[in-house]
């Protein structure tokens, strides 16, 4: 029986960036689909199964629309809420977005960051971050833990203290 090939969703509005990401995904032997905006990515997520998403943080909501960090942040929140064990690698070339990257990484232990432009010797490099995110997702899946932070999930759990906690039983809070 052959092992299942991992599948990536690449989301970036710049064709050259999508190509650079695709090259690294191909080196890993993974299958992939590409989207140039959040709207396209949502459609693909709705009809296909993915193991991970590589997402440009500054992305347009619709094809041809303005690219905004908020669109990428909102989409990451959707992914975390709807796809429990989805590994996410955030990529960006905009140094001004670093505080947003830190915020995103605090939402789930399955989120990693790789700066653009992609080079094989830059740290952290994209291939390494993809591997780390996938390993972490598998670790949580096998342990039956939900990788969510206190502010990111639609799921609620009664704690007995009168407070509702996001996530469910066996959640790991960061």
């Amino acid at each position: 029986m052959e092992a299942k090939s991992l599948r990536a969703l690449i989301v970036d509005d710049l064709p050259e960036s999508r190509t650079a990401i695709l090259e690294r995904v191909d080196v890993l032997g993974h299958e992939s689909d590409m989207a140039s905006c959040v709207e396209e990515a949502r459609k693909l997520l709705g009809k296909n199964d993915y193991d991970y998403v590589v997402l440009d943080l500054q992305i347009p909501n619709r094809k041809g629309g303005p690219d905004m960090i908020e669109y990428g942040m909102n989409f990451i929140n959707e992914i975390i809420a709807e796809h429990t064990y989805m590994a996410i690698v955030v990529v960006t070339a905009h140094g001004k977005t670093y505080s947003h990257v830190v915020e995103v990484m605090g939402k789930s232990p399955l989120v990693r960051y790789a700066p653009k432009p992609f080079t094989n010797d830059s740290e952290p490099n994209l291939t390494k971050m993809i591997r780390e995110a996938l390993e972490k997702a598998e670790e949580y899946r096998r342990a039956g833990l939900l990788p969510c932070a206190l502010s990111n999930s639609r799921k609620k759990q009664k704690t007995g203290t009168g407070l509702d906690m996001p996530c469910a039983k066996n959640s790991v809070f960061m």
Side-chain angles (χ1 to χ4, degrees), residues 10-14 18 35-41 54-62 65-76 91-92 94 116:
I10 299 167
V11 187
D12 198 307
D13 57 321
L14 301 174
R18 286 194 306 269
S36 62
C37 64
V38 171
E39 185 176 69
E40 288 176 1
V54 179
L55 171 71
D56 182 6
L57 190 58
Q58 192 162 336
I59 189 84
N61 240 351
R62 293 194 174 105
D67 57 345
M68 297 179 65
I69 294 166
E70 291 76 21
Y71 298 149
M73 297 285 287
N74 290 338
F75 189 49
I76 289 168
V91 296
T92 186
H94 304 281
K116 289 183 189 178

Side-chain angles (χ1 to χ4, degrees), residues 155-166:
K155 300 173 186 172
K156 297 287 182 178
Q157 167 185 317
K158 291 289 182 189
T159 62
T161 62
L163 300 173
D164 286 338
M165 297 295 285

Side-chain angles (χ1 to χ4, degrees), residues 5-73:
S5 177
L6 296 178
R7 191 167 185 185
L9 176 58
I10 299 167
V11 187
D12 198 307
D13 57 321
L14 301 174
E16 61 275 10
S17 291
R18 286 194 306 269
T19 300
I21 295 167
L22 178 62
E23 289 171 358
R24 277 120 183 113
V25 169
D26 284 348
V27 164
L28 292 169
H30 301 167
E31 297 175 12
S32 63
D33 292 315
M34 293 190 274
S36 62
C37 64
V38 171
E39 185 176 69
E40 288 176 1
R42 272 192 199 112
K43 287 178 185 174
L44 288 167
L45 273 174
K47 68 179 187 178
N48 299 308
D49 291 325
Y50 296 98
D51 298 288
Y52 64 102
V53 175
V54 179
L55 171 71
D56 182 6
L57 190 58
Q58 192 162 336
I59 189 84
N61 240 351
R62 293 194 174 105
K63 196 168 191 136
D67 57 345
M68 297 179 65
I69 294 166
E70 291 76 21
Y71 298 149
M73 297 285 287

